Amino acid sequence: MITSLLIQNIERHVHLDVGEIELVLSLFQPKQLKRKAFLLRQGEVCRSEHFIMKGCVKIYSIDENGFEHILMFGAEGWWVGDLFSFLTGKESRYHIEALEDTQLLQITKPDLDLLYEKVPKMERFFRILLQNAFIAHMERIDQSLSLDAAGRYQHFVRKYPAFGQRIPQKQIAAYLGITPVFLSMLRKKLMEG
């Protein structure tokens, strides 16, 4: 069953009984994205939170000079969305775009609120997700401030080894805040050294 990945993800932090699993699955709706399709565009309101069943996405903004700044990638087993927009109902500052054909399960805010009411342990689950996301964002900020480009690249490769094969180098460069040419030179230097 394709939804088993979602239940496995949830049960890493909370245990659900059969009735709770049925309710969870009834509130999530499938969504398919083709490669290069947008899940969310800057200026839209994020109306759902999304769990990636298969595929890969990027969350990014574009600055006034047209440069892309990638905040994060997401692949199987990851949650993606714009939490600020989702919770406040305000316009998103980000795009979420599929890098591959992607299958998602999505839940709307009203359905998530219903889930919290009917299955209180799901509030605990999403609190744990939020805590983990906060820690990951703090680590990313710290690395951006304290590591040079080589250190950031090496950390990325260690932390996300599968992404190197799935994500184009120019996307990885945008995530690291360097040019694709510089990333190519850096990779060559690290292989030689």
Side-chain angles (χ1 to χ4, degrees), residues 78-104:
W78 289 47
W79 292 86
V80 295
D82 179 342
L83 194 57
F84 174 79
S85 178
F86 180 73
L87 294 175
T88 65
K90 294 184 178 179
E91 292 180 353
S92 178
R93 295 178 37 215
Y94 306 107
H95 297 283
I96 303 177
E97 181 181 345
L99 294 173
E100 303 171 351
D101 289 350
T102 301
Q103 298 173 10
L104 306 136

Short mmCIF file of all heavy atoms in Angstrom, two decimals, residues 78-104:
data_model
loop_
_atom_site.label_atom_id
_atom_site.label_comp_id
_atom_site.label_asym_id
_atom_site.label_seq_id
_atom_site.Cartn_x
_atom_site.Cartn_y
_atom_site.Cartn_z
N TRP A 78 9.88 12.96 3.32
CA TRP A 78 10.03 14.32 3.84
C TRP A 78 8.69 15.05 3.79
O TRP A 78 7.84 14.76 2.94
CB TRP A 78 11.02 15.11 2.99
CG TRP A 78 12.44 14.69 3.12
CD1 TRP A 78 12.95 13.43 3.10
CD2 TRP A 78 13.57 15.55 3.26
NE1 TRP A 78 14.31 13.45 3.21
CE2 TRP A 78 14.72 14.75 3.31
CE3 TRP A 78 13.72 16.93 3.34
CZ2 TRP A 78 15.99 15.28 3.46
CZ3 TRP A 78 14.99 17.45 3.47
CH2 TRP A 78 16.11 16.63 3.54
N TRP A 79 8.53 16.01 4.67
CA TRP A 79 7.38 16.91 4.69
C TRP A 79 7.80 18.22 4.06
O TRP A 79 8.88 18.73 4.35
CB TRP A 79 6.92 17.15 6.13
CG TRP A 79 6.34 15.93 6.76
CD1 TRP A 79 7.02 14.93 7.40
CD2 TRP A 79 4.96 15.57 6.81
NE1 TRP A 79 6.14 13.97 7.83
CE2 TRP A 79 4.87 14.35 7.49
CE3 TRP A 79 3.80 16.18 6.34
CZ2 TRP A 79 3.66 13.71 7.72
CZ3 TRP A 79 2.60 15.56 6.58
CH2 TRP A 79 2.53 14.33 7.26
N VAL A 80 6.95 18.78 3.20
CA VAL A 80 7.26 20.07 2.57
C VAL A 80 6.02 20.96 2.55
O VAL A 80 4.90 20.48 2.54
CB VAL A 80 7.80 19.92 1.13
CG1 VAL A 80 9.14 19.21 1.11
CG2 VAL A 80 6.81 19.22 0.23
N GLY A 81 6.29 22.23 2.55
CA GLY A 81 5.26 23.24 2.48
C GLY A 81 5.87 24.55 2.95
O GLY A 81 7.06 24.62 3.25
N ASP A 82 5.07 25.57 2.98
CA ASP A 82 5.49 26.84 3.55
C ASP A 82 4.67 27.01 4.83
O ASP A 82 3.51 27.42 4.80
CB ASP A 82 5.22 27.99 2.58
CG ASP A 82 5.61 29.35 3.14
OD1 ASP A 82 5.78 29.48 4.38
OD2 ASP A 82 5.74 30.30 2.36
N LEU A 83 5.28 26.64 5.95
CA LEU A 83 4.56 26.61 7.22
C LEU A 83 4.05 27.99 7.61
O LEU A 83 2.93 28.13 8.12
CB LEU A 83 5.47 26.04 8.32
CG LEU A 83 4.77 25.64 9.60
CD1 LEU A 83 3.67 24.61 9.36
CD2 LEU A 83 5.78 25.10 10.61
N PHE A 84 4.83 29.05 7.34
CA PHE A 84 4.39 30.40 7.67
C PHE A 84 3.10 30.72 6.93
O PHE A 84 2.11 31.17 7.51
CB PHE A 84 5.48 31.42 7.34
CG PHE A 84 5.02 32.85 7.51
CD1 PHE A 84 4.97 33.42 8.77
CD2 PHE A 84 4.62 33.60 6.42
CE1 PHE A 84 4.54 34.72 8.95
CE2 PHE A 84 4.18 34.91 6.58
CZ PHE A 84 4.14 35.47 7.84
N SER A 85 3.08 30.49 5.62
CA SER A 85 1.89 30.77 4.82
C SER A 85 0.73 29.87 5.24
O SER A 85 -0.41 30.32 5.36
CB SER A 85 2.21 30.58 3.34
OG SER A 85 1.07 30.78 2.54
N PHE A 86 1.01 28.60 5.49
CA PHE A 86 0.00 27.63 5.88
C PHE A 86 -0.70 28.05 7.17
O PHE A 86 -1.92 27.98 7.28
CB PHE A 86 0.66 26.25 6.04
CG PHE A 86 -0.26 25.14 6.45
CD1 PHE A 86 -1.17 24.60 5.56
CD2 PHE A 86 -0.20 24.60 7.73
CE1 PHE A 86 -2.01 23.56 5.93
CE2 PHE A 86 -1.02 23.57 8.11
CZ PHE A 86 -1.93 23.03 7.21
N LEU A 87 0.08 28.49 8.16
CA LEU A 87 -0.49 28.82 9.47
C LEU A 87 -1.12 30.21 9.52
O LEU A 87 -2.07 30.43 10.26
CB LEU A 87 0.59 28.70 10.56
CG LEU A 87 1.11 27.29 10.80
CD1 LEU A 87 2.25 27.31 11.80
CD2 LEU A 87 -0.01 26.36 11.26
N THR A 88 -0.59 31.16 8.75
CA THR A 88 -1.08 32.54 8.82
C THR A 88 -2.09 32.89 7.74
O THR A 88 -2.80 33.89 7.86
CB THR A 88 0.08 33.54 8.71
OG1 THR A 88 0.67 33.43 7.41
CG2 THR A 88 1.12 33.32 9.81
N GLY A 89 -2.11 32.11 6.66
CA GLY A 89 -2.98 32.44 5.53
C GLY A 89 -2.41 33.56 4.68
O GLY A 89 -3.09 34.08 3.79
N LYS A 90 -1.15 33.94 4.92
CA LYS A 90 -0.52 35.00 4.14
C LYS A 90 0.18 34.41 2.92
O LYS A 90 0.47 33.22 2.87
CB LYS A 90 0.49 35.76 5.00
CG LYS A 90 -0.19 36.53 6.12
CD LYS A 90 0.79 37.34 6.91
CE LYS A 90 0.03 38.13 8.00
NZ LYS A 90 0.92 38.93 8.82
N GLU A 91 0.46 35.28 1.95
CA GLU A 91 1.10 34.83 0.71
C GLU A 91 2.49 34.26 0.99
O GLU A 91 3.23 34.76 1.83
CB GLU A 91 1.23 36.00 -0.25
CG GLU A 91 -0.09 36.50 -0.78
CD GLU A 91 0.07 37.66 -1.75
OE1 GLU A 91 1.20 38.18 -1.93
OE2 GLU A 91 -0.95 38.06 -2.33
N SER A 92 2.82 33.24 0.23
CA SER A 92 4.13 32.60 0.36
C SER A 92 5.21 33.45 -0.32
O SER A 92 4.95 34.10 -1.34
CB SER A 92 4.11 31.22 -0.29
OG SER A 92 5.40 30.62 -0.22
N ARG A 93 6.39 33.41 0.23
CA ARG A 93 7.55 34.06 -0.39
C ARG A 93 8.34 33.05 -1.24
O ARG A 93 9.36 33.39 -1.81
CB ARG A 93 8.46 34.64 0.69
CG ARG A 93 7.79 35.77 1.46
CD ARG A 93 8.65 36.32 2.58
NE ARG A 93 10.05 36.38 2.27
CZ ARG A 93 11.03 36.17 3.16
NH1 ARG A 93 10.73 35.90 4.41
NH2 ARG A 93 12.28 36.25 2.81
N TYR A 94 7.86 31.81 -1.31
CA TYR A 94 8.63 30.74 -1.92
C TYR A 94 7.87 30.03 -3.03
O TYR A 94 6.65 30.02 -3.08
CB TYR A 94 9.03 29.71 -0.85
CG TYR A 94 9.73 30.35 0.30
CD1 TYR A 94 9.10 30.51 1.53
CD2 TYR A 94 11.02 30.85 0.15
CE1 TYR A 94 9.74 31.13 2.58
CE2 TYR A 94 11.67 31.48 1.20
CZ TYR A 94 11.02 31.61 2.41
OH TYR A 94 11.64 32.23 3.45
N HIS A 95 8.67 29.39 -3.88
CA HIS A 95 8.17 28.46 -4.88
C HIS A 95 8.51 27.06 -4.36
O HIS A 95 9.57 26.85 -3.77
CB HIS A 95 8.89 28.62 -6.22
CG HIS A 95 8.70 29.96 -6.86
ND1 HIS A 95 7.54 30.31 -7.51
CD2 HIS A 95 9.53 31.03 -6.96
CE1 HIS A 95 7.67 31.54 -7.99
NE2 HIS A 95 8.87 32.00 -7.67
N ILE A 96 7.63 26.10 -4.64
CA ILE A 96 7.95 24.69 -4.42
C ILE A 96 7.74 24.01 -5.77
O ILE A 96 6.63 24.02 -6.31
CB ILE A 96 7.07 24.04 -3.33
CG1 ILE A 96 7.20 24.80 -2.01
CG2 ILE A 96 7.47 22.57 -3.16
CD1 ILE A 96 6.30 24.26 -0.90
N GLU A 97 8.82 23.46 -6.30
CA GLU A 97 8.81 22.91 -7.66
C GLU A 97 9.33 21.49 -7.65
O GLU A 97 10.31 21.17 -6.95
CB GLU A 97 9.70 23.79 -8.54
CG GLU A 97 9.77 23.37 -9.98
CD GLU A 97 10.70 24.26 -10.80
OE1 GLU A 97 11.09 25.36 -10.33
OE2 GLU A 97 11.05 23.86 -11.91
N ALA A 98 8.72 20.63 -8.46
CA ALA A 98 9.15 19.24 -8.57
C ALA A 98 10.41 19.14 -9.43
O ALA A 98 10.44 19.67 -10.54
CB ALA A 98 8.04 18.38 -9.17
N LEU A 99 11.42 18.48 -8.92
CA LEU A 99 12.64 18.21 -9.69
C LEU A 99 12.51 16.89 -10.45
O LEU A 99 13.28 16.63 -11.37
CB LEU A 99 13.86 18.16 -8.77
CG LEU A 99 14.22 19.48 -8.09
CD1 LEU A 99 15.32 19.27 -7.07
CD2 LEU A 99 14.63 20.51 -9.12
N GLU A 100 11.56 16.06 -10.02
CA GLU A 100 11.25 14.78 -10.65
C GLU A 100 9.73 14.64 -10.61
O GLU A 100 9.06 15.37 -9.88
CB GLU A 100 11.84 13.61 -9.84
CG GLU A 100 13.31 13.65 -9.61
CD GLU A 100 13.78 12.59 -8.61
OE1 GLU A 100 12.95 11.92 -7.95
OE2 GLU A 100 15.00 12.46 -8.48
N ASP A 101 9.20 13.70 -11.36
CA ASP A 101 7.79 13.36 -11.18
C ASP A 101 7.62 12.99 -9.71
O ASP A 101 8.43 12.22 -9.16
CB ASP A 101 7.37 12.18 -12.06
CG ASP A 101 7.32 12.56 -13.54
OD1 ASP A 101 7.41 13.76 -13.87
OD2 ASP A 101 7.17 11.63 -14.36
N THR A 102 6.61 13.56 -9.05
CA THR A 102 6.50 13.45 -7.60
C THR A 102 5.08 13.08 -7.20
O THR A 102 4.12 13.62 -7.74
CB THR A 102 6.92 14.79 -6.95
OG1 THR A 102 8.26 15.08 -7.32
CG2 THR A 102 6.84 14.72 -5.43
N GLN A 103 4.99 12.15 -6.24
CA GLN A 103 3.70 11.76 -5.65
C GLN A 103 3.69 12.24 -4.21
O GLN A 103 4.62 11.96 -3.45
CB GLN A 103 3.51 10.25 -5.69
CG GLN A 103 3.49 9.67 -7.07
CD GLN A 103 3.47 8.15 -7.04
OE1 GLN A 103 3.28 7.52 -6.00
NE2 GLN A 103 3.65 7.54 -8.20
N LEU A 104 2.63 12.95 -3.86
CA LEU A 104 2.51 13.50 -2.51
C LEU A 104 1.19 13.07 -1.88
O LEU A 104 0.24 12.71 -2.58
CB LEU A 104 2.51 15.03 -2.56
CG LEU A 104 3.68 15.68 -3.27
CD1 LEU A 104 3.22 16.79 -4.16
CD2 LEU A 104 4.66 16.21 -2.25
#
